Structure formats: C-alpha cells, structure tokens
C-alpha cells in the first residue's frame, strides 16, 4: 500500500514536470495550444447547447415523473440533469484528448520529440507509412469514444443513486477517465518505440498507481475552466516523460524496439 501511494504521487509529479517543461519552453507551449483551441471551440459549443436545453432533456428522460407532485418531480429532473451533464462532461474529457491529439498530431509529435531530446535524445521514428499511422490514430480515437460512451451510460445510471451518485460516482469517473487519459497522453512516445495500444495498456496495468496518479491529476487540471487547453502541451510533455522513464523501461518494450512488431 505504501508503494502504491508513492507511485501515485510520482505520477502526479510527472504532470507537474511536464507543465514545468513547457513553462521553460514557452514557444512550444504556444505551438501546442493551436489544436487544443480548435477542438475546445467545438466542444464548448456542444456542451453549451446541452446546458441550454438541459431542462428539456431531463424532462424527456423522466416521463415517469410527470404525474408526481412538484417537489419530487423537480428533484428527479435535477438529478437527471446533473447525471446527463456529468456523463457528457466525462465523455468530453476523454475524447477531447484523443481528438486533440488526432487533430494536432504534428504539433504534439514535435513537442514530444523536443522533450525527449532535452532528456538525452529521442529514439528513431518507426518505419511506418504515414497513412498507417493516421489509420491507427483514427481507430484508437473511435475505440476510445465507444469505451467512453459505455462508461458514460453506466455513470449516468449510477447518478440517480441517492448520495452515492453525487459523491462516489464522480470520484470513480475521475479515476476511470484518468486511466484512459494517460493511455492517450503517452501514446506519442510509446508509438515512437513501436508499442501500440494493446501493449501500451498492458504496461499501464502493471503500473496502475503510477498511471492513475498522472491521469487523475490531469483530469483535475482539465476540469478547471480552460485548463484542458492551457495544460494540454504540458500534459503531452508529462506523458512523454512518464513513458520514457517508467513505462518504456519494461523489458517487453525493449524487445519491441529491437524489431518485434506489436499488433493491435
């Protein structure tokens, strides 16, 4: 347990190391803001439209409460509204990172490479055609979207549970989203080492407290207004450091770098 707590806070430290790195390289930070701002505008419009119509959505989801007296009906629809918006925010946090990395692949590839060079040098790029890399990125983004949607449905249903739905469920959601965020934010550095999604998540499973520390800290930062945009370059830098120093130290990664192809 003591080691798990130590690893968790080590993971938190990697996020702050990444933020520190971009603070020392402001041009890289500004460079990394461009795709995040583009995706933010689209997400803000979607979430804003949902918030504007939340009363109607909550009413549509709770037709069983139409015949109730005013107070119970209002309470049921407030809980439904919170659950809907919370589930949507959960999906947005997970898919924001994946979509931003997809849109800004050249931007974040450059940041990740600069981070590696500052730490002693980046490994050579894998000999993979560009279209194959793009196809993998799109496939990963779609799969993550489906996973996020599945968890969102579960968290939405659990949001109706009294007390638990408004306390325990958000905490669990933060841990789940943090775990998957780490997978996305380490993807650039791990792809460079020939370690793709399936093997990446296997490595993360073996370092779960470390991964959760980094991911949960990132979720907390991303929940701050504009935090997802401003912290995105630093999160990519921190994910690169985490992949380089901890996840990539696994013997299976070393064998992958020696030429054993990793499959999806």
């Amino acid at each position: 347990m003591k080691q798990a707590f130590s690893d968790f806070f080590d993971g938190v430290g990697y996020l702050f190391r990444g933020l520190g790195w971009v603070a020392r390289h402001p041009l890289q930070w500004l460079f990394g803001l461009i795709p995040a701002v583009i995706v933010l505008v689209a997400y803000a419009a979607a979430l804003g439209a949902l918030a504007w119509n939340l009363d109607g959505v909550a009413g549509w989801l709770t037709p069983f409460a139409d015949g109730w007296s005013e107070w119970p009906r209002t309470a049921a629809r407030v809980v439904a509204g919170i659950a809907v918006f919370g589930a949507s925010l959960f999906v947005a946090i997970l898919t924001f990172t994946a979509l931003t990395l997809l849109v800004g692949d050249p931007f974040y590839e450059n940041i990740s490479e600069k981070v590696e060079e500052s730490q002693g040098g980046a490994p050579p790029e894998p000999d993979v055609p560009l279209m194959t890399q793009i196809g993998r990125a799109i496939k990963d983004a779609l799969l993550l979207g489906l996973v996020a949607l599945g968890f969102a449905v579960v968290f939405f249903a659990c949001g109706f549970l009294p007390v638990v739905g408004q306390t325990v469920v958000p905490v669990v959601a933060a841990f789940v989203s943090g775990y998957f965020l780490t997978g996305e934010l380490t993807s650039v550095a791990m792809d460079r080492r020939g370690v793709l999604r399936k093997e990446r998540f296997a490595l993360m499973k073996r370092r779960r407290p470390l991964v959760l520390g980094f991911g949960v800290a990132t979720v907390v930062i991303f929940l701050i207004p504009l935090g997802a945009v401003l912290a995105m370059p630093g999160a990519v830098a921190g994910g690169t450091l985490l992949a380089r120093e901890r996840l990539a130290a696994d013997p299976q990664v070393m064998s992958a770098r020696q030429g054993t192809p990793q499959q999806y």
Side-chain angles (χ1 to χ4, degrees):
M1 183 65 70
K2 183 179 179 181
Q3 184 61 47
F5 274 108
S6 176
D7 286 347
F8 183 89
F9 286 107
D10 282 348
V12 175
Y14 274 104
L15 175 61
F16 285 98
R17 285 181 60 190
L19 295 172
W21 190 91
V22 295
R24 295 191 299 274
H25 300 80
L27 290 180
Q28 291 295 320
W29 175 69
L30 291 171
F31 187 62
L33 291 182
I34 297 172
V37 169
I38 293 171
V39 177
L40 175 70
V41 170
Y43 273 58
L47 288 173
L50 175 62
W52 182 263
N53 295 286
L54 199 56
D55 286 345
V57 172
W60 177 75
L61 289 170
T62 55
F64 54 83
D66 288 345
W68 296 2
S69 58
E70 184 177 354
W71 187 88
R73 183 174 65 249
T74 301
R77 288 176 176 167
V78 167
V79 170
I82 292 172
V84 167
F85 197 80
S88 300
L89 190 61
F90 170 81
V91 172
I93 290 172
L94 276 186
T95 57
F96 175 87
T97 301
L99 187 57
T100 302
L101 290 175
L102 181 62
V103 171
D105 180 69
F107 296 82
Y108 297 122
E109 180 71 37
N110 180 267
I111 290 174
S112 180
E113 186 173 351
K114 295 294 185 185
V115 171
E116 299 238 42
E117 288 174 355
S118 72
Q119 301 299 307
E125 289 286 341
D127 187 17
V128 178
L130 177 61
M131 293 308 297
T132 300
Q133 295 181 41
I134 293 173
R136 288 172 177 170
I138 293 173
K139 182 179 179 180
D140 278 357
L142 290 174
L143 285 173
L144 182 66
L146 290 173
V147 170
L149 184 60
F151 275 111
V153 170
V154 173
F155 292 139
F156 168 73
C158 292
F160 285 98
L161 297 174
V163 183
V164 173
Q166 294 75 51
T167 54
V168 176
V169 171
V171 173
V172 174
F175 274 79
V176 171
S177 57
Y179 186 81
F180 285 102
L181 274 180
T182 301
E184 291 303 306
L185 291 167
T186 57
S187 63
V188 176
M190 297 303 275
D191 285 351
R192 187 182 293 118
R193 290 165 170 79
V195 182
L196 304 183
R197 174 178 44 82
K198 186 175 181 180
E199 182 57 25
R200 184 166 72 246
F201 277 94
L203 292 169
M204 288 166 52
K205 185 178 180 180
R206 293 198 286 272
R207 299 293 187 93
R208 188 176 287 123
L210 178 72
V211 166
L212 287 173
F214 178 79
V216 172
T218 304
V219 169
V220 172
I221 295 293
F222 279 16
L223 285 174
I224 299 171
L226 295 180
V229 173
L230 299 177
M232 187 67 186
V236 171
T240 299
L241 293 169
L242 174 62
R244 176 187 177 89
E245 297 177 3
R246 302 295 287 271
L247 298 180
D250 191 282
Q252 291 190 28
V253 176
M254 302 306 294
S255 70
R257 292 182 63 186
Q258 291 169 5
T260 303
Q262 301 293 317
Q263 301 296 325
Y264 267 61

